[in-house]
Amino acid sequence: MSATLASSVIVAIDGPSGTGKSSTSKAVAAQLGLSYLDTGAQYRAMTWWMLTNGIDVSDASEIAAASGKPAIVSGTDPEAPAISADGADASGPIRTQEVTSAVSAVSAVPEVRSRITELQRTIAAGAEGGIVVEGRDIGTTVLPDADLKVFLTASAEARAARRSGELKDKDGKAVADLAATQQALAQRDKADSSRKASPLKKADDAVEVDTTELTLEQVVECVVTLVEQAAARKAERLEKAGQV
């Protein structure tokens, strides 16, 4: 399959924390020459901005009132993804435990989701060379017409082990308490799955991939194959419609 064919697709990759969404999405995008968007980073950047600017993240009305203020800018290069809030680099600060603990509450506010969803759709629409978009509601809400939807899963133990190595405190030290991380993930899952605005769930037409026993390379290989198949199906549809 040609790179040009692969570059025509919009890929939605969803799933809970610790399933390998970011690593997989970046690798797939880089391998196929597609743009990449980490939507979770956008919600984290919004959360970090609110914490930094003294917004009470336990007050939904205060969050809603402030949701339109920060300028959230996302880079789409899978080799060097970037995220900023009001011009300040947020790539490091958004991975702290403080942000992780507050992001579910902030992202559950409808005004925040509406603002970020609009931003995500604009970025995807502008990605002429195709894009891999990862998050929790991409296939169900943000891009329901994506050419391919993938839902990644993994066991609670595997997810906790992966995430504990990613999270850092304010001093940049890794959070190593697996039990606490697993509990935090369970709470995050419950919050994300039960929120009224765009809850975390698998799209009916998504392909589920359990990453528990797979290496990153194996997951990437699997998803790349799915993308190639989706691109071929899209090309066939367009050809039949006389659009190519």
Side-chain angles (χ1 to χ4, degrees), residues 58-97:
S58 66
D59 186 335
S61 61
E62 192 168 336
I63 293 173
S67 62
K69 296 181 180 180
I72 307 297
V73 178
S74 301
T76 58
D77 180 356
E79 302 284 2
I83 184 76
S84 67
D86 283 352
D89 179 14
S91 56
I94 64 172
R95 301 301 172 185
T96 63
Q97 187 63 53

Side-chain angles (χ1 to χ4, degrees), residues 17-18 155-165 178-179 181-182 185:
S17 299
S155 70
E157 293 78 13
R159 292 170 55 207
R162 295 167 183 169
R163 181 45 56 94
S164 65
L178 290 179
T181 301
Q182 188 168 332
L185 285 175

Side-chain angles (χ1 to χ4, degrees), residues 20-219:
K21 291 194 307 296
S22 294
S23 298
T24 299
S25 299
K26 284 185 286 189
V28 169
Q31 185 169 326
L32 294 176
L34 306 176
S35 294
Y36 160 75
L37 178 61
D38 178 356
T39 64
Q42 294 175 314
Y43 285 106
R44 284 175 171 270
M46 177 72 80
T47 302
W48 173 67
W49 180 90
M50 291 192 176
L51 290 169
T52 302
N53 286 273
I55 305 301
D56 183 356
V57 293
S58 66
D59 186 335
S61 61
E62 192 168 336
I63 293 173
S67 62
K69 296 181 180 180
I72 307 297
V73 178
S74 301
T76 58
D77 180 356
E79 302 284 2
I83 184 76
S84 67
D86 283 352
D89 179 14
S91 56
I94 64 172
R95 301 301 172 185
T96 63
Q97 187 63 53
E98 182 183 22
V99 171
T100 298
S101 297
V103 67
S104 283
V106 172
S107 61
V109 176
E111 288 82 359
V112 171
R113 299 208 72 81
S114 177
R115 166 89 193 284
I116 298 298
T117 294
E118 181 180 359
L119 178 59
Q120 292 163 358
R121 287 173 176 164
T122 298
I123 293 172
E128 297 181 358
I131 190 169
V132 176
V133 184
E134 60 132 320
R136 286 172 170 75
D137 65 341
I138 311 307
T140 55
T141 301
V142 180
L143 301 170
D145 296 323
D147 299 301
L148 172 66
K149 302 174 186 178
V150 178
F151 193 87
L152 299 184
T153 63
S155 70
E157 293 78 13
R159 292 170 55 207
R162 295 167 183 169
R163 181 45 56 94
S164 65
E166 297 173 1
L167 296 179
K168 303 181 185 302
D169 61 21
K170 291 183 177 180
D171 297 320
K173 297 180 180 179
V175 177
D177 189 333
L178 290 179
T181 301
Q182 188 168 332
Q183 182 178 11
L185 285 175
Q187 294 173 341
R188 178 76 190 272
D189 289 348
K190 182 178 180 180
D192 289 348
S193 300
S194 61
R195 67 178 178 233
K196 294 182 179 179
S198 302
L200 165 67
K201 65 178 182 179
K202 175 187 172 185
D204 292 338
D205 54 347
V207 178
E208 183 171 329
V209 177
D210 188 335
T211 68
T212 303
E213 301 295 335
L214 301 178
T215 64
L216 174 60
E217 290 73 18
Q218 289 173 323
V219 178

